[in-house]
Amino acid sequence: MAHILPETLPQILPGEVLKTFRALKGLPDTFYIWHHLAPWQPNAPDFLIITQEGRAILVKVSSSSADQATLAAQLLLIDDHRPALGAAEAKMLASFHQSLNLPDDTLLVTLIIFPNIPHKQVLESRLERSACEPHWVGRELLQPDSGMKWEDYFPPNLIENVWLEKIRQRFTPEVVVPAEMTVRPLHPRRLEAGLTDYLLDYNQEAAVKADLNIEPDGQTLSNDFRLNIINGVAGSGKTLILLYRLRLLYHLYPQKKYLVLTHNRPLSHDMQGRFARLEGELPEAIEWRTFNGWCYHHWPKKPSWVMPLSIQQRERAIREARQKILNNTTITEHMLLSEIDWLKDQVPLSQTDYLLADRRGRGFGLNAEQRQRMWNAIETYQHILEQQGALDWGDVPQLLWRFFQEGKVTIPQYDFIMIDEAQFFAPLWMDLIQKALKPKNSHLFIVADPTQGFLGRNMTWKSLGLEARGKSHQLRRSYRTTREIMNFATLFYRVRLPDGKEDDVLVPDILNMPSGVIPQVIGLSSAQDEITRVANEVAEFIRQGHPKKHLLILHANGHGAQTLIQAIDRRLGKNTAMDPKDTYPGEYIRVTTINAGAGLESPIVFLVGLRELFEEEQSLRLSDEERVETIRDNTRKIYMAATRAGQRLVFTYVGDLPKVLSEIFMHQTN
């Protein structure tokens, strides 16, 4: 069977196109076939066919009838100059071919197929075919037992890959990636051909175009909603796939309602900036939110919204609750905090439910007595918040869920919900999202990195109420970064987590990655020196001509990020550096926390303040179980941060470099 994209066509297309599609799908797997989808480019061929060796042909399907062919043949006899059969199709093909501006020695054949007309009658309707004109073929070509073969119409010469890519970019504009939306370096041969943009690869494009059909109004799906999941390595284009699928769906179904969710503001801002670059605007039908921002936006008038506690305020409340209930136990503040967060991530549990709940993967065990006391401590913590008239971020989805159950709020309904970085979405979040899907005729499309979030804790989509079997794609090829950076990140992950499952990390296809600069480490004697050195390094990159937007600095904590912004602004001028949480993409140096960096990318990335993470792992306040959990979380965090880099990765570290980092850097330089 031929490789064909999309694998199914929207049923609103003309019957002749659908009939041709079915015939093409039955060709051998040496054929790669694309159907033209982009609604914003209406005057285009219907199909592009490329053979495995590199021959190509453009196909336009005619809806002309046999009666029109008969009339065309009669007009030929009387030398009538009215538009002939196939004239409109031939004009369109000629215009499309001319727009490609291919070299003279690059032969791309064009063909018009008439599915409603016998081949003999088609030929009788035409005087002759010149070398530059399209082939005409009748309906027999679509019949496998007719003796006619598609191979007979392909040119003898092969087309260079760079020119095939140029044809593809013109034929499938819906998967063209503008150069400024990727950190990939340009290849000289592509520049010679005038190619500065890229294409999604075949697997990425298949993910974009899978299952595009929606049921007509009045018809329903057999399940509650249609689900598609993309699991991919860092840099595999997951966010691009989501954005390109969103764009295609929006053009195919402009009257539908869309919601795009992320877990942090920098990524949401970045996605909106990219989509506006593709589309030229942000359509009103598409709602962009962080999950907590979505909860806030749809909050009821009563009770009114209360800004959640700061980290410091929350830590004080945790400390007070532990001293009251857990002071003579081995349960630490860190364990109490972790258990509160875990409990609030679940669909609301009663005390009985909690005492019986499966806690596997939590990182520390609790016997029956400890579990009861933990519940008491959590209730005490909530009572402290109530006394202060406060709530924490975990209360936000909990309260919205309760408001919905009590009828105090109506959750809006969407035809399409798309989630980026879905591995950070809690079970309760997913429950609320499913309530926001229109029943029986809606789509949920999610992309995730299995090294992060709940997926990194050996949890599954099923634990979130999603049946992923047969509905997921895996992407192993990374386009963002270099072999050296990916080698470093993967080795760091495996050395630090040697007991992880073999499939814990989706192994990238490193052999096909470009080579680059080995990650650099800068040792420093104090935190102040670290800030000053990074500001100086950034100034040097700018002096060398690197655009400000090509630099991303990720700090271990928010205070450090703000200090860096101030230092860079003093060095290079006000608003040279900004936190992408607070503004949309622009010509500035992005500085934010490592946690907020998930989903972002940049040619040059600095990782700063890592000493704080390694010191956290050695804290005497941690139990053995907590220490293992902290090491695991920090490992995943640093892996994620390192793979944000496209071409250069720079670490700074105050004091003696941890053994694991020094050994990996030594291994890479030898």
Side-chain angles (χ1 to χ4, degrees):
M1 184 178 292
H3 304 275
I4 192 164
L5 291 177
E7 292 186 351
T8 57
L9 291 187
Q11 296 303 302
I12 57 174
L13 292 173
E16 293 83 6
V17 174
L18 296 172
K19 188 184 299 184
T20 305
F21 174 83
R22 288 191 291 269
L24 288 170
K25 202 170 184 178
L27 290 175
D29 61 6
T30 53
F31 287 80
Y32 290 80
I33 303 165
W34 287 266
H35 168 64
H36 183 267
L37 272 178
W40 57 90
Q41 182 182 287
N43 296 318
D46 292 299
F47 297 97
L48 167 65
I49 311 173
I50 301 176
T51 65
Q52 196 170 47
E53 314 88 60
R55 296 177 174 85
I57 190 168
L58 289 169
V59 179
K60 184 63 182 175
V61 180
S62 174
S63 58
S64 299
S65 66
D67 289 344
Q68 289 172 292
T70 301
L71 176 61
Q74 293 170 350
L75 293 175
L76 285 175
L77 293 175
I78 61 175
D79 199 23
D80 192 296
H81 297 291
R82 282 181 284 180
L85 185 74
E89 292 88 347
K91 183 178 180 182
M92 185 279 302
L93 286 170
S95 175
F96 189 90
H97 191 286
Q98 186 177 7
S99 71
L100 294 170
N101 196 26
L102 299 174
D104 293 339
D105 60 351
T106 301
L107 183 57
L108 174 64
V109 168
T110 57
L111 179 148
I112 304 172
I113 186 166
F114 300 86
N116 299 323
I117 307 173
H119 186 61
K120 181 179 178 182
Q121 193 174 358
V122 165
L123 297 182
E124 289 173 350
S125 304
R126 190 181 200 184
L127 284 173
E128 60 182 352
R129 172 187 174 267
S130 65
C132 62
E133 290 181 329
H135 291 283
W136 283 18
V137 292
R139 63 189 181 200
E140 287 86 350
L141 186 59
L142 305 181
Q143 301 164 3
D145 56 352
S146 68
M148 296 184 67
K149 296 180 180 179
W150 288 90
E151 292 92 327
D152 295 339
Y153 295 93
F154 280 86
N157 67 307
L158 305 182
I159 300 179
E160 251 191 286
N161 284 338
V162 69
W163 299 114
L164 286 175
E165 184 176 346
K166 191 165 189 178
I167 296 167
R168 282 281 323 282
Q169 289 204 12
R170 181 79 174 87
F171 186 79
T172 54
E174 68 274 9
V175 291
V176 173
V177 183
E180 61 266 33
M181 283 178 55
T182 176
V183 297
R184 280 189 265 176
L186 286 168
H187 190 278
R189 185 69 184 94
R190 300 180 77 257
L191 287 172
E192 289 174 20
L195 289 172
T196 56
D197 298 334
Y198 288 90
L199 288 165
L200 297 180
D201 74 18
Y202 194 88
N203 289 330
Q204 293 170 326
E205 186 178 359
V208 167
K209 296 180 176 179
D211 209 13
L212 288 174
N213 248 336
I214 67 170
E215 303 300 328
D217 290 340
Q219 296 186 31
T220 60
L221 300 170
S222 57
N223 300 314
D224 287 339
F225 57 89
R226 185 174 282 124
L227 173 67
N228 295 97
I229 299 174
I230 308 297
N231 288 317
V233 300
S236 58
K238 299 182 295 296
T239 299
L240 282 179
I241 288 169
L242 185 151
L243 292 174
Y244 278 69
R245 183 177 178 84
L246 173 64
R247 185 189 188 201
L248 199 50
L249 285 167
Y250 172 70
H251 278 276
L252 290 171
Y253 310 107
Q255 304 306 315
K256 300 297 182 180
K257 193 174 179 183
Y258 300 80
L259 173 64
V260 184
L261 291 172
T262 63
H263 75 295
N264 68 54
R265 281 182 291 160
L267 179 55
S268 182
H269 289 160
D270 182 70
M271 292 172 69
Q272 290 177 64
R274 293 193 194 192
F275 193 82
R277 165 64 181 81
L278 289 173
E279 190 61 20
E281 62 175 352
L282 291 174
E284 291 184 6
I286 303 175
E287 185 178 339
W288 305 80
R289 304 284 178 193
T290 62
F291 181 78
N292 280 323
W294 179 76
C295 292
Y296 168 74
H297 189 71
H298 299 292
W299 204 259
K301 291 184 178 179
K302 292 184 179 181
S304 59
W305 171 263
V306 177
M307 181 56 67
L309 294 169
S310 68
I311 294 174
Q312 293 77 15
Q313 291 171 320
R314 191 172 188 233
E315 287 175 347
R316 285 196 293 269
I318 292 285
R319 191 174 303 117
E320 183 180 345
R322 185 192 176 278
Q323 288 173 348
K324 286 182 177 181
I325 307 298
L326 303 170
N327 203 30
N328 59 345
T329 71
T330 58
I331 298 174
T332 64
E333 289 177 21
H334 183 276
M335 292 167 71
L336 175 57
L337 173 62
S338 175
E339 195 74 357
I340 289 171
D341 287 340
W342 174 79
L343 183 60
K344 291 186 178 185
D345 279 345
Q346 312 307 310
V347 174
L349 298 176
S350 67
Q351 178 177 348
T352 302
D353 292 335
Y354 170 73
L355 296 176
L356 297 173
D358 183 354
R359 294 182 66 264
R360 281 179 295 184
R362 291 287 300 113
F364 58 90
L366 295 174
N367 60 35
E369 180 188 357
Q370 289 174 321
R371 194 180 287 213
Q372 179 62 63
R373 295 190 69 173
M374 181 71 87
W375 175 264
N376 295 340
I378 293 171
E379 284 194 319
T380 300
Y381 169 76
Q382 286 302 123
H383 182 64
I384 292 169
L385 297 192
E386 289 170 10
Q387 287 181 321
Q388 299 176 7
L391 69 158
D392 66 20
W393 281 108
D395 290 319
V396 173
Q398 285 272 329
L399 286 171
L400 190 67
W401 189 91
R402 190 182 307 162
F403 294 152
F404 173 77
Q405 298 298 118
E406 295 171 353
K408 293 179 180 178
V409 65
T410 300
I411 293 179
Q413 301 285 284
Y414 302 89
D415 300 284
F416 297 93
I417 297 181
M418 314 186 88
I419 305 173
D420 198 3
E421 300 290 342
Q423 70 273 9
F424 295 113
F425 277 55
L428 177 58
W429 298 18
M430 285 295 187
D431 186 80
L432 284 166
I433 288 166
Q434 291 184 47
K435 289 177 173 25
L437 285 162
K438 284 187 178 178
K440 298 297 184 181
N441 198 5
S442 55
H443 292 224
L444 177 60
F445 184 84
I446 57 184
V447 300
D449 181 346
T451 66
Q452 299 292 319
F454 74 87
L455 292 177
R457 294 182 174 89
N458 298 325
M459 293 178 66
T460 64
W461 295 112
K462 193 170 184 179
S463 66
L464 274 75
L466 300 175
E467 182 50 66
R469 186 176 302 172
K471 300 172 184 175
S472 61
H473 300 260
Q474 288 194 340
L475 302 175
R476 296 184 180 273
R477 188 168 184 183
S478 175
Y479 291 98
R480 176 190 300 144
T481 191
T482 64
R483 184 182 299 117
E484 287 76 10
I485 292 172
M486 186 59 81
N487 266 331
F488 167 84
T490 305
L491 185 58
F492 175 79
Y493 189 102
R494 287 177 169 167
V495 168
R496 294 256 291 177
L497 302 179
D499 298 326
K501 291 184 188 176
E502 190 65 30
D503 60 353
D504 202 21
V505 179
L506 191 59
V507 181
D509 180 6
I510 290 179
L511 291 178
N512 287 314
M513 297 178 70
S515 294
V517 179
I518 293 172
Q520 176 187 0
V521 61
I522 301 173
L524 298 150
S525 58
S526 70
Q528 183 55 49
D529 287 348
E530 185 175 39
I531 296 296
T532 303
R533 178 63 180 270
V534 171
N536 290 338
E537 291 286 332
V538 164
E540 178 60 20
F541 274 113
I542 299 302
R543 190 193 67 77
Q544 293 173 9
H546 294 277
K548 297 184 186 76
K549 64 183 178 181
H550 283 187
L551 277 77
L552 172 65
I553 305 174
L554 301 176
H555 200 288
N557 66 67
H559 175 72
Q562 288 303 311
T563 303
L564 261 173
I565 289 173
Q566 294 164 9
I568 293 169
D569 281 358
R570 284 195 300 270
R571 185 84 164 73
L572 297 173
K574 188 176 181 181
N575 293 332
T576 298
M578 289 190 254
D579 192 326
K581 287 188 290 191
D582 303 325
T583 186
Y584 286 84
E587 187 53 42
Y588 62 87
I589 297 164
R590 291 169 292 165
V591 184
T592 192
T593 62
I594 290 178
N595 286 340
L600 300 180
E601 63 177 26
S602 185
I604 303 164
V605 171
F606 284 80
L607 298 188
V608 186
L610 295 183
R611 180 188 178 101
E612 179 179 319
L613 299 182
F614 283 92
E615 285 184 340
E616 177 189 17
E617 297 168 3
Q618 304 307 316
S619 171
L620 296 176
R621 295 184 299 170
L622 295 177
S623 67
D624 290 343
E625 290 175 321
E626 288 177 296
R627 198 177 317 282
V628 170
E629 183 81 359
T630 302
I631 290 172
R632 186 200 66 194
D633 287 346
N634 285 345
T635 299
R636 298 181 189 283
K637 192 181 294 187
I638 294 171
Y639 173 88
M640 177 278 295
T643 54
R644 302 305 94 198
Q647 298 163 25
R648 292 287 299 276
L649 176 62
V650 181
F651 289 85
T652 60
Y653 200 89
V654 175
D656 295 332
L657 202 63
K659 183 179 179 182
V660 61
L661 286 178
S662 60
E663 287 180 350
I664 293 174
F665 281 122
M666 189 178 300
H667 173 79
Q668 286 206 293
T669 54
N670 289 340

